Amino acid sequence: MNRILTIVLFMLTCWNAGKTQRSETDSLKMEWFGDAKLGIFIHWGIYSVKGTDESWAFYNHKISHADYMAQIKGFTAARYDPEYWARLIKSSGARYAVLTAKHHDGVALWDTKMNDLSVVKQAPAGKDVLTPFYRALRKNGIKCGVYFSLIDWTHPDYPGFLKDSSKYDLAEHPEKWARFRTFFQGQIRELMTQIKPDLMWFDGDWEHNAGEWEAAKVRKMILDINPNTIINSRLQGYGDYGTPEQHTPVIRPKDRYWELCMTHNDNWGWQPQDTAWKTPYEIITIFADAIANGGNLLLDIGPKEDGTITPQQVHMLEELGKWTGKHEEAIFGTVGGLPYGHFYGPSTYSKDSTSLYLFVPAKGSGPIVVKGLDNAIREASVVGTDIRLSPKIVGKISWSAVPGLVYIDIPEEARDEYMTVVRLKLDDPVKLYRGHGGF
Ligand code: GLC
């Protein structure tokens, strides 16, 4: 019996060693992404001319395909200032940005040689609006993410540009699908060689399986060009991290790396009637929740067709920037914090877990409390200020191993406008009591 146990244990150790090795390679490439926490998503395309749903407007018959595509004649990029975009993104504290190089409508923002459907060839803009943005990002030290829709509802070889028509069976027309594959893979190659993205952000993989997209080949092509390019999950199982969309996870996601992508109001692109802006407070609390659970936030903005960004979006990015700037050490380069049950709110740790950061909503009152913290607290203070706090240990019984409760009062003047962050410097890496109470 003992020998069997030893063999099983040995096998488990080998298996774990293999896992560790793989994850070490992964984590090297993923390191900046895990530290970055905040990215800005930008949906910019011909849909911002009339302010229709991006691509979905014609797919869902809200507008005809012809009327939708006619918007290209109104896409001017006349006041587009990529340097300003990059500076604005930087001021929010974001460490990376992702721009829609091509949405499901098939319109490229760069000078693709694979077909004629680009704002370069068909819009009054008449130029590549993609490349200058990435140049500006790099100048500002921001990582470059390229959004690329695999589905292309306008391409003549793509099955189904309208929800209920022009579908064809791939098996019956392999030559059409092969042409489409050559086309979209050629566009990816263009983007990889011209933009050299740090991150390829795919979308729309749901319409075909991994075999049909040749997802393994696409991944290999990307990594052959740049082994450090990170790929999001929307490549039918061939990506590097998870992308929950719009909805904050309630349970900590299983993916080691994940990113919540979310709109600033209710739509991805600019839509004049949509005034359902999330407030800076809402965005900051959603962001804190994401990082506390080990994830990133990819927050979307939608510029107008001329490249201007509306005052609400600018305001939100600036407010976010004030907050991320003040609380930098609690956000960037940290890891997800306390598991549920120890603290009523989000928290993060420094990587060595000797600092614990507790995020507290601005308008709270009364002391905060941490349960099950089995460390001595060397110092308690408010991040971004020089205010020291005095934790009170409550209910520590000398003969019991169960730690006492930590109560901390936060004085009124220490409270941030949005979220206050309390830093606990611990004697050692964090140790948690995870029992059922009692002795
Ligand atoms: C969805 C939508 C798309 C949007 C994307 C952003 O996949 O199809 O319109 O661009 O989410 O994550």
Side-chain angles (χ1 to χ4, degrees), residues 72-383:
I72 204 165
K73 294 292 167 226
F75 188 87
T76 65
R79 301 171 69 191
Y80 171 47
D81 181 352
E83 180 57 37
Y84 170 70
W85 282 23
R87 283 201 309 272
L88 183 64
I89 290 167
K90 194 179 173 114
S91 76
S92 74
R95 304 291 205 253
Y96 64 108
V98 180
L99 173 59
T100 46
K102 183 183 93 165
H103 206 264
H104 315 332
D105 58 17
V107 181
L109 296 191
W110 79 101
D111 193 11
T112 178
K113 302 288 181 267
M114 299 305 297
N115 70 358
D116 286 340
L117 189 51
S118 68
V119 299
V120 186
K121 296 211 175 85
Q122 299 201 23
K127 61 180 181 211
D128 170 359
V129 291
L130 202 67
T131 314
F133 176 60
Y134 293 107
R135 207 176 297 129
L137 285 184
R138 288 209 166 88
K139 215 173 105 193
N140 283 277
I142 300 167
K143 294 278 186 189
C144 301
V146 171
Y147 167 107
F148 180 83
S149 169
L150 293 163
I151 50 187
D152 187 326
W153 289 327
T154 305
H155 196 282
D157 289 323
Y158 190 81
F161 89 78
L162 289 178
K163 194 179 191 168
D164 43 17
S165 65
S166 71
K167 300 255 184 233
Y168 68 82
D169 188 344
L170 264 49
E172 277 171 28
H173 298 278
E175 73 300 337
K176 266 185 132 182
W177 184 246
R179 273 203 306 267
F180 180 72
R181 273 199 317 240
T182 307
F183 164 74
F184 89 82
Q185 292 172 13
Q187 285 197 321
I188 296 171
R189 182 175 290 282
E190 284 181 343
L191 290 167
M192 280 303 299
T193 48
Q194 287 171 37
I195 309 289
K196 304 186 174 57
D198 303 297
L199 165 63
M200 273 302 292
W201 211 103
F202 287 110
D203 197 15
D205 64 341
W206 59 82
E207 287 204 350
H208 297 282
N209 62 35
E212 287 164 349
W213 293 122
E214 295 184 329
K217 182 178 157 201
V218 170
R219 182 178 172 89
K220 185 172 180 313
M221 168 183 45
I222 290 170
L223 298 184
D224 282 349
I225 299 172
N226 180 3
N228 290 324
T229 298
I230 295 173
I231 302 170
N232 75 337
S233 61
R234 300 186 187 177
L235 188 58
Q236 287 288 13
Y238 285 83
D240 298 310
Y241 71 88
T243 53
E245 180 171 317
Q246 293 288 29
H247 307 294
T248 309
V250 175
I251 293 167
R252 194 174 283 204
K254 288 208 180 75
D255 291 304
R256 165 72 185 81
Y257 295 97
W258 62 272
E259 168 202 69
L260 167 67
C261 56
M262 199 185 70
T263 50
H264 177 197
N265 48 5
D266 288 340
N267 287 283
W268 295 104
W270 174 75
Q271 296 208 21
Q273 84 294 348
D274 184 352
T275 53
W277 304 109
K278 295 179 181 75
T279 63
Y281 174 75
E282 288 158 358
I283 286 172
I284 286 167
T285 46
I286 292 168
F287 177 45
D289 195 73
I291 62 175
N293 284 307
N296 289 4
L297 175 67
L298 182 63
L299 178 65
D300 183 70
I301 57 169
K304 292 164 90 169
E305 62 74 25
D306 64 357
T308 53
I309 300 174
T310 57
Q312 288 89 348
Q313 308 188 73
V314 172
H315 173 72
M316 181 272 296
L317 293 176
E318 287 174 351
E319 288 303 291
L320 185 55
K322 273 200 247 162
W323 187 81
T324 54
K326 176 175 170 191
H327 300 105
E328 211 168 339
E329 68 160 279
I331 302 169
F332 305 103
T334 61
V335 292
L338 293 163
Y340 296 123
H342 291 267
F343 176 62
Y344 296 124
S347 63
T348 57
Y349 299 130
S350 57
K351 277 193 185 145
D352 65 2
S353 84
T354 60
S355 286
L356 167 61
Y357 300 97
L358 305 165
F359 293 71
V360 187
K363 296 204 178 79
S365 61
I368 55 169
V369 57
V370 182
K371 294 192 279 183
L373 182 63
D374 201 3
N375 286 80
I377 297 169
R378 290 269 176 264
E379 185 193 298
S381 50
V382 178
V383 175

